[in-house]
């Protein structure tokens, strides 16, 4: 339900649903990941980082979590840490063209 709300751009409702999901299943990485994406889109990078950090803690093999976390870090002017995240994303998924492109822009 939360993902459907997110896809229909009902972001506040999606946020509430993801948080409800987390209260029932605190180990479900995708709820944290999607909250991170939503908060990043809303330019709430500190909140996005909180949820993306947790998504990575739960599943450190998902390249896109590192990519989106890097995008937030760039907005917060933490380019060194963003480069580390992008490097990790590319290490996990060597064909991650968006991560390669973003990394080349901030080097």
């Amino acid at each position: 339900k939360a993902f459907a709300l997110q896809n229909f751009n009902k972001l506040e409702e999606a946020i509430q649903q993801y948080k409800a999901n987390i209260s029932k299943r605190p180990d479900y990485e995708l709820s944290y990941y999607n909250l991170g994406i939503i908060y990043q889109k809303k330019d709430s990078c500190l909140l996005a980082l909180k949820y993306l950090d947790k998504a990575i803690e739960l599943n450190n093999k998902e390249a896109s979590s590192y990519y989106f976390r890097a995008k937030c870090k760039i907005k917060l002017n933490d380019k060194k840490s963003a480069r580390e995240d992008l490097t990790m994303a590319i290490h996990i998924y060597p064909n991650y063209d968006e991560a390669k492109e973003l990394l080349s822009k901030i080097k």
Side-chain angles (χ1 to χ4, degrees):
K1 182 177 179 182
F3 190 65
L5 290 166
Q6 182 179 353
N7 284 337
F8 286 113
N9 209 32
K10 295 184 176 192
L11 300 183
E12 293 306 317
E13 292 172 60
I15 288 169
Q16 295 310 313
Q17 186 62 52
Y18 281 125
K19 288 181 178 180
N21 293 351
I22 287 170
S23 70
K24 293 175 190 165
R25 289 233 8 237
D27 62 337
Y28 189 58
E29 167 243 338
L30 285 175
S31 290
Y32 296 98
Y33 172 83
N34 283 310
L35 277 169
I37 301 300
I38 290 171
Y39 282 120
Q40 184 208 11
K41 285 181 182 178
K42 294 175 60 127
D43 278 335
S44 297
C45 282
L46 292 176
L47 276 173
L49 286 175
K50 171 185 165 184
Y51 289 105
L52 291 167
D53 286 346
K54 184 65 177 180
I56 290 168
E57 178 186 319
L58 292 169
N59 178 8
N60 65 2
K61 303 284 190 244
E62 178 53 53
S64 61
S65 295
Y66 290 97
Y67 172 76
F68 286 107
R69 188 169 77 171
K71 289 180 76 169
C72 285
K73 289 177 177 180
I74 291 167
K75 285 185 179 182
L76 296 171
N77 207 27
D78 185 0
K79 291 181 182 177
K80 179 180 184 266
S81 187
R83 282 192 294 272
E84 291 169 2
D85 277 349
L86 291 167
T87 300
M88 180 59 81
I90 294 164
H91 174 75
I92 293 167
Y93 179 53
N95 294 325
Y96 204 155
D97 293 335
E98 294 92 342
K100 290 177 182 178
E101 183 179 326
L102 189 55
L103 181 59
S104 71
K105 287 181 181 178
I106 63 169
K107 278 199 169 182

